[in-house]
Amino acid sequence: MTRIKFSHIILLTALSLLLIGAVYCSYRLQSLSAERVQVKEDYSLSNSVTFGLFSVDQWRDRIAEVLDKKIEGYHITTQQRKDMQKAIEKELHSLVNQTVAEINQPQKSIGGKLKNWPLTPWLMPKKYTRR
């Protein structure tokens, strides 16, 4: 009988060691999985449209810095300023005329007519055009 008890004790000890090893391995697996999830979240956040490589705000800030440095040493004479103002006014007038022309286009659908009807009195009359 002592032999049976001794074998039971050895078996119980071996199984206990295996159980402790399995618990430790499962704990490590769980902690590594949680760490991996956190790394994935950080990676997706760093590459997101809001904060990451594709962020418009980030690129705008970087480009603004570069342009500020480039423009800092650039000086405009009064004649150049007048020429630029005329060119910009011309472009703005052409944009306004294009917008008015698109709005004044005859609408074929009832939905298009209803969308343009409230805007027509507020915009320029058909007989008025800019330069």
Side-chain angles (χ1 to χ4, degrees), residues 77-88:
T77 65
T78 54
Q79 182 61 36
Q80 289 173 334
R81 185 179 300 271
K82 287 178 185 178
D83 292 341
M84 283 189 343
Q85 185 175 0
K86 287 179 185 178
I88 291 171

Side-chain angles (χ1 to χ4, degrees), residues 69-115:
K69 290 177 183 176
K70 294 276 184 181
I71 293 174
E72 201 170 271
Y74 188 72
H75 299 287
I76 299 174
T77 65
T78 54
Q79 182 61 36
Q80 289 173 334
R81 185 179 300 271
K82 287 178 185 178
D83 292 341
M84 283 189 343
Q85 185 175 0
K86 287 179 185 178
I88 291 171
E89 284 178 356
K90 182 179 176 183
E91 288 297 319
L92 288 176
H93 287 303
S94 68
L95 285 173
V96 168
N97 287 336
Q98 284 177 350
T99 305
V100 170
E102 287 180 18
I103 291 174
N104 286 337
Q105 280 182 348
Q107 298 294 324
K108 297 179 183 178
S109 67
I110 293 175
K113 289 179 183 180
L114 290 176
K115 286 179 186 174

